[in-house]
Amino acid sequence: MKIFSGSANKPLADKIVKLLKKPLGRLEIHIFPDEEKRVAVMEEVLGQDCIVVQSTSINADKNYMELFFIADALKRNGAKSVTAVIPYLGYQRQDHVFREGEAVSMGVIIKILEIVGIHKLITLDLHSSRIPELFNIPVLHLSALPIFAKIIKEKHWDEDKTIIVSPDMGGIRRVKILCGLLRNMPYIAIEKNRDLKSGKISMEEIQGVAEKRAIIVDDMISTGATIVKAADLLRKKGAEEIFVFATHPVFAGNAPVLLQKSVVSKIFVTDTISISQEKLFPKLEVLSVAGMIAENL
Ligand code: R5P
């Protein structure tokens, strides 16, 4: 088995190979002045099972193109199989038509991943548990929830006055799984409505959080609007402390600034997406999924 990394999340690939006590495979990724990329495999892969680690957050298009070229280079050089580890699967929120006239962008990405010869996908905490069904190749859908449960137990937050909160109805399945790992801790879900045209969100009133420690659990934080709005609502309804666990730190625009300024005490995310230095902030703690991925290779 040989493990390669695209340029989107090399720190995670480095941790995975370190855990597996293997070297990272050598690739040459050259960027031309017009920003086209030339990818070359710099070592023997004939007959080898190859793994490519590439997250596909900002800039999703560039990161996907790079992954397609790496997969093609590996296949052309005789790789026996190519497994793509895409910890954050870009375009997953466009898995069906929401408004008339739209493309199903996730469907397009899936077709290309399969055409370029990827045999298997390993990914984490998909927005919808139905996305794997859209693929014709095997998909291993891992979850950071056990990592979150471990932290909650270590901090003894599972022992008193804690309630798990899903910031939207779509996340109920996720919080039920987490509560199952925490001796059936209580949970609530906020009814969130999003205007499909403007993207603006609103949230319905909730009850039962007064004097509680509220832990918001979500799959991803993009603009931060969902977390900030949910946290404000929880505080208004009397929650004493508010924490957040979210797998994917997409952190679009000024999300880090909004999150740092929010009423949330601490935000736990994972390293499915590499966070640049300028996007780090004091309330943030990054947990690693490298061990979980390494165990499943
Ligand atoms: C939405 O359904 C997802 O689970 C997340 O809550 C959402 O994508 C977060 O986006 P934002 O941070 O922009 O509100």
mmCIF file of all heavy atoms in Angstrom, residues 93 127 167-168 170-171 174 192 194 201 218-227 255, ligand 1:
data_model
loop_
_atom_site.group_PDB
_atom_site.id
_atom_site.type_symbol
_atom_site.label_atom_id
_atom_site.label_comp_id
_atom_site.label_asym_id
_atom_site.label_seq_id
_atom_site.Cartn_x
_atom_site.Cartn_y
_atom_site.Cartn_z
ATOM 1 N N ARG A 93 -23.606 19.289 -0.095
ATOM 2 C CA ARG A 93 -24.898 19.907 0.215
ATOM 3 C C ARG A 93 -25.755 20.108 -1.028
ATOM 4 O O ARG A 93 -26.894 20.505 -0.940
ATOM 5 C CB ARG A 93 -24.678 21.246 0.944
ATOM 6 C CG ARG A 93 -24.287 21.028 2.399
ATOM 7 C CD ARG A 93 -23.923 22.327 3.076
ATOM 8 N NE ARG A 93 -22.680 22.860 2.547
ATOM 9 C CZ ARG A 93 -22.156 24.025 2.933
ATOM 10 N NH1 ARG A 93 -22.771 24.758 3.822
ATOM 11 N NH2 ARG A 93 -21.011 24.435 2.426
ATOM 12 N N HIS A 127 -23.234 15.209 5.139
ATOM 13 C CA HIS A 127 -24.405 16.015 5.473
ATOM 14 C C HIS A 127 -25.675 15.156 5.473
ATOM 15 O O HIS A 127 -26.529 15.294 6.343
ATOM 16 C CB HIS A 127 -24.498 17.126 4.428
ATOM 17 C CG HIS A 127 -25.625 18.045 4.628
ATOM 18 N ND1 HIS A 127 -25.737 18.828 5.739
ATOM 19 C CD2 HIS A 127 -26.705 18.298 3.868
ATOM 20 C CE1 HIS A 127 -26.842 19.541 5.645
ATOM 21 N NE2 HIS A 127 -27.448 19.232 4.525
ATOM 22 N N PRO A 167 -28.756 22.008 15.655
ATOM 23 C CA PRO A 167 -29.229 23.336 15.230
ATOM 24 C C PRO A 167 -30.210 23.281 14.067
ATOM 25 O O PRO A 167 -30.649 24.315 13.592
ATOM 26 C CB PRO A 167 -27.935 24.046 14.835
ATOM 27 C CG PRO A 167 -27.036 22.945 14.398
ATOM 28 C CD PRO A 167 -27.392 21.721 15.191
ATOM 29 N N ASP A 168 -30.522 22.067 13.598
ATOM 30 C CA ASP A 168 -31.578 21.932 12.583
ATOM 31 C C ASP A 168 -32.165 20.527 12.649
ATOM 32 O O ASP A 168 -31.581 19.619 13.248
ATOM 33 C CB ASP A 168 -31.070 22.274 11.164
ATOM 34 C CG ASP A 168 -29.863 21.452 10.757
ATOM 35 O OD1 ASP A 168 -29.846 20.247 11.039
ATOM 36 O OD2 ASP A 168 -28.941 22.024 10.151
ATOM 37 N N GLY A 170 -32.508 18.387 10.340
ATOM 38 C CA GLY A 170 -31.724 17.418 9.558
ATOM 39 C C GLY A 170 -30.633 16.749 10.393
ATOM 40 O O GLY A 170 -30.105 15.706 10.009
ATOM 41 N N GLY A 171 -30.300 17.345 11.543
ATOM 42 C CA GLY A 171 -29.200 16.798 12.346
ATOM 43 C C GLY A 171 -29.656 15.871 13.461
ATOM 44 O O GLY A 171 -28.837 15.407 14.266
ATOM 45 N N ARG A 174 -27.878 12.531 13.775
ATOM 46 C CA ARG A 174 -26.513 12.712 14.297
ATOM 47 C C ARG A 174 -26.531 12.831 15.824
ATOM 48 O O ARG A 174 -25.785 12.141 16.510
ATOM 49 C CB ARG A 174 -25.946 13.987 13.654
ATOM 50 C CG ARG A 174 -24.493 14.215 13.809
ATOM 51 C CD ARG A 174 -24.040 15.408 12.966
ATOM 52 N NE ARG A 174 -24.366 15.286 11.567
ATOM 53 C CZ ARG A 174 -25.118 16.151 10.889
ATOM 54 N NH1 ARG A 174 -25.624 17.217 11.475
ATOM 55 N NH2 ARG A 174 -25.374 15.947 9.616
ATOM 56 N N LYS A 192 -34.834 25.006 12.116
ATOM 57 C CA LYS A 192 -34.164 26.083 11.371
ATOM 58 C C LYS A 192 -34.775 26.171 9.976
ATOM 59 O O LYS A 192 -34.974 25.144 9.323
ATOM 60 C CB LYS A 192 -32.661 25.754 11.259
ATOM 61 C CG LYS A 192 -31.870 26.702 10.382
ATOM 62 C CD LYS A 192 -30.371 26.383 10.386
ATOM 63 C CE LYS A 192 -29.951 25.588 9.179
ATOM 64 N NZ LYS A 192 -28.493 25.388 9.095
ATOM 65 N N ARG A 194 -34.253 27.964 6.172
ATOM 66 C CA ARG A 194 -33.315 28.747 5.346
ATOM 67 C C ARG A 194 -34.020 29.209 4.088
ATOM 68 O O ARG A 194 -34.665 28.406 3.406
ATOM 69 C CB ARG A 194 -32.099 27.878 4.980
ATOM 70 C CG ARG A 194 -30.945 28.688 4.397
ATOM 71 C CD ARG A 194 -29.819 27.784 3.933
ATOM 72 N NE ARG A 194 -28.970 27.262 4.992
ATOM 73 C CZ ARG A 194 -27.890 27.884 5.468
ATOM 74 N NH1 ARG A 194 -27.557 29.064 5.009
ATOM 75 N NH2 ARG A 194 -27.165 27.321 6.416
ATOM 76 N N ILE A 201 -31.087 32.567 7.400
ATOM 77 C CA ILE A 201 -31.738 31.567 8.245
ATOM 78 C C ILE A 201 -32.544 32.206 9.372
ATOM 79 O O ILE A 201 -32.235 33.302 9.827
ATOM 80 C CB ILE A 201 -30.715 30.562 8.834
ATOM 81 C CG1 ILE A 201 -29.628 31.277 9.621
ATOM 82 C CG2 ILE A 201 -30.115 29.693 7.766
ATOM 83 C CD1 ILE A 201 -28.680 30.336 10.325
ATOM 84 N N ASP A 218 -22.958 19.707 15.051
ATOM 85 C CA ASP A 218 -23.294 19.885 13.635
ATOM 86 C C ASP A 218 -22.252 19.173 12.777
ATOM 87 O O ASP A 218 -21.161 18.836 13.252
ATOM 88 C CB ASP A 218 -23.352 21.378 13.298
ATOM 89 C CG ASP A 218 -24.370 21.675 12.197
ATOM 90 O OD1 ASP A 218 -24.847 20.721 11.554
ATOM 91 O OD2 ASP A 218 -24.689 22.862 11.981
ATOM 92 N N ASP A 219 -22.589 18.964 11.504
ATOM 93 C CA ASP A 219 -21.625 18.312 10.618
ATOM 94 C C ASP A 219 -20.541 19.288 10.181
ATOM 95 O O ASP A 219 -19.383 18.937 10.072
ATOM 96 C CB ASP A 219 -22.314 17.681 9.389
ATOM 97 C CG ASP A 219 -23.189 18.659 8.625
ATOM 98 O OD1 ASP A 219 -23.547 19.721 9.180
ATOM 99 O OD2 ASP A 219 -23.534 18.366 7.471
ATOM 100 N N MET A 220 -20.932 20.545 9.918
ATOM 101 C CA MET A 220 -19.937 21.499 9.423
ATOM 102 C C MET A 220 -20.266 22.916 9.873
ATOM 103 O O MET A 220 -21.415 23.227 10.187
ATOM 104 C CB MET A 220 -19.875 21.464 7.903
ATOM 105 C CG MET A 220 -21.114 21.983 7.231
ATOM 106 S SD MET A 220 -21.012 21.857 5.426
ATOM 107 C CE MET A 220 -21.497 20.165 5.145
ATOM 108 N N ILE A 221 -19.239 23.736 9.916
ATOM 109 C CA ILE A 221 -19.450 25.176 10.123
ATOM 110 C C ILE A 221 -18.926 25.853 8.864
ATOM 111 O O ILE A 221 -17.740 25.753 8.552
ATOM 112 C CB ILE A 221 -18.678 25.715 11.343
ATOM 113 C CG1 ILE A 221 -19.062 24.945 12.611
ATOM 114 C CG2 ILE A 221 -18.947 27.205 11.505
ATOM 115 C CD1 ILE A 221 -18.272 25.365 13.857
ATOM 116 N N SER A 222 -19.816 26.513 8.134
ATOM 117 C CA SER A 222 -19.365 27.212 6.930
ATOM 118 C C SER A 222 -19.250 28.701 7.246
ATOM 119 O O SER A 222 -18.206 29.163 7.687
ATOM 120 C CB SER A 222 -20.319 26.923 5.772
ATOM 121 O OG SER A 222 -19.841 27.553 4.613
ATOM 122 N N THR A 223 -20.332 29.461 7.106
ATOM 123 C CA THR A 223 -20.252 30.904 7.422
ATOM 124 C C THR A 223 -20.293 31.162 8.918
ATOM 125 O O THR A 223 -20.004 32.263 9.370
ATOM 126 C CB THR A 223 -21.430 31.664 6.792
ATOM 127 O OG1 THR A 223 -22.650 31.163 7.378
ATOM 128 C CG2 THR A 223 -21.478 31.479 5.283
ATOM 129 N N GLY A 224 -20.753 30.161 9.676
ATOM 130 C CA GLY A 224 -20.900 30.332 11.123
ATOM 131 C C GLY A 224 -22.282 30.836 11.519
ATOM 132 O O GLY A 224 -22.618 30.884 12.713
ATOM 133 N N ALA A 225 -23.108 31.177 10.538
ATOM 134 C CA ALA A 225 -24.423 31.765 10.835
ATOM 135 C C ALA A 225 -25.293 30.813 11.662
ATOM 136 O O ALA A 225 -25.967 31.243 12.615
ATOM 137 C CB ALA A 225 -25.128 32.134 9.532
ATOM 138 N N THR A 226 -25.286 29.534 11.328
ATOM 139 C CA THR A 226 -26.126 28.563 12.045
ATOM 140 C C THR A 226 -25.732 28.497 13.513
ATOM 141 O O THR A 226 -26.575 28.552 14.407
ATOM 142 C CB THR A 226 -25.997 27.170 11.385
ATOM 143 O OG1 THR A 226 -26.431 27.275 10.029
ATOM 144 C CG2 THR A 226 -26.811 26.112 12.117
ATOM 145 N N ILE A 227 -24.429 28.391 13.766
ATOM 146 C CA ILE A 227 -23.952 28.263 15.150
ATOM 147 C C ILE A 227 -24.248 29.532 15.939
ATOM 148 O O ILE A 227 -24.744 29.479 17.075
ATOM 149 C CB ILE A 227 -22.420 27.960 15.165
ATOM 150 C CG1 ILE A 227 -22.130 26.586 14.533
ATOM 151 C CG2 ILE A 227 -21.842 28.070 16.573
ATOM 152 C CD1 ILE A 227 -22.787 25.410 15.201
ATOM 153 N N ALA A 255 -16.156 33.680 9.164
ATOM 154 C CA ALA A 255 -16.685 32.760 10.188
ATOM 155 C C ALA A 255 -15.829 32.774 11.462
ATOM 156 O O ALA A 255 -16.389 32.870 12.569
ATOM 157 C CB ALA A 255 -16.794 31.349 9.622
HETATM 158 C C1 R5P B 1 -26.835 22.577 7.312
HETATM 159 O O1 R5P B 1 -27.854 21.946 7.175
HETATM 160 C C2 R5P B 1 -25.582 22.047 7.919
HETATM 161 O O2 R5P B 1 -25.797 20.989 8.782
HETATM 162 C C3 R5P B 1 -24.856 23.158 8.627
HETATM 163 O O3 R5P B 1 -25.624 23.573 9.736
HETATM 164 C C4 R5P B 1 -24.661 24.341 7.723
HETATM 165 O O4 R5P B 1 -24.157 23.928 6.497
HETATM 166 C C5 R5P B 1 -23.741 25.345 8.348
HETATM 167 O O5 R5P B 1 -23.616 26.427 7.498
HETATM 168 P P1 R5P B 1 -23.373 27.878 8.059
HETATM 169 O O6 R5P B 1 -22.212 27.807 8.986
HETATM 170 O O7 R5P B 1 -23.099 28.700 6.833
HETATM 171 O O8 R5P B 1 -24.614 28.324 8.741
#
